[in-house]
Amino acid sequence: MKKVLMPVVLFVACSWFVSCEVDDDSPNFYFTALHTIEADVPESFEYGRTYDIDITYQRPNGCTFFEGFDVVQTSMTDRDVVVIGSVLTDENRACTQAVEEVMATLTFNVIYNKDYTFRFYAGDDAEGNPTYLEYTVPVATESTQK
């Protein structure tokens, strides 16, 4: 009985590896920049504090999901902010084509005493150039707080 069982176990074990073959090793998603509709920035910042900035962006379909923010410091207190999404490309997945406005929160630390300028990516114009929503937020000093 032991002689018969060993080849059967070996056959079953080998069939597990053969049956788990993956035909397509290409990614089933890609990253994309999403369009900012508006950003709810405070009227002013206080040095050393942390703020939540609510950003409303456009989700173009049911296969696009929020992944985070790409924040680039372009000068000491200037920031370019892009909402990043991932788009699923699985051919077997049905995606709704409904466009939604969705909100996400960016946490921001104020580390300088100068005004901050934020530029939020809002899409491309007719010529393919990026457009931005721009906000300047002053930093309150001790003399302006009293």
Side-chain angles (χ1 to χ4, degrees):
M1 180 85 169
K2 203 171 196 181
K3 289 182 180 180
V4 175
L5 186 59
M6 189 60 147
V8 171
V9 171
L10 184 60
F11 175 76
V12 170
C14 289
S15 67
W16 287 338
F17 294 110
V18 173
S19 66
C20 293
E21 191 175 316
V22 177
D23 292 335
D24 185 11
D25 62 351
S26 63
N28 64 346
F29 71 95
Y30 62 90
F31 293 111
T32 189
L34 302 176
H35 303 174
T36 299
I37 306 299
E38 71 175 317
D40 186 16
V41 298
E43 288 185 26
S44 66
F45 287 144
E46 285 183 41
Y47 173 76
R49 288 202 47 211
T50 300
Y51 293 85
D52 287 339
I53 300 173
D54 291 330
I55 300 170
T56 303
Y57 66 92
Q58 189 175 65
R59 182 177 177 216
N61 59 47
C63 283
T64 302
F65 299 94
F66 174 77
E67 292 296 330
F69 298 100
D70 182 25
V71 180
V72 176
Q73 183 175 353
T74 58
S75 72
M76 187 170 73
T77 58
D78 292 349
R79 305 291 188 272
D80 283 356
V81 181
V82 179
V83 180
I84 302 297
S86 60
V87 181
L88 299 180
T89 59
D90 185 2
E91 295 171 2
N92 298 326
R93 182 180 175 99
C95 297
T96 64
Q97 296 304 310
V99 177
E100 293 180 280
E101 288 188 7
V102 184
M103 187 182 304
T105 302
L106 170 69
T107 301
F108 185 75
N109 299 314
V110 179
I111 59 173
Y112 297 109
N113 279 322
K114 297 187 177 198
D115 296 355
Y116 281 85
T117 300
F118 294 91
R119 293 180 351 135
F120 295 92
Y121 175 73
D124 293 337
D125 64 15
E127 286 80 43
N129 300 312
T131 60
Y132 297 91
L133 302 175
E134 190 169 312
Y135 301 87
T136 300
V137 182
V139 175
T141 60
E142 289 183 28
S143 60
T144 60
Q145 292 177 4
K146 294 180 181 181

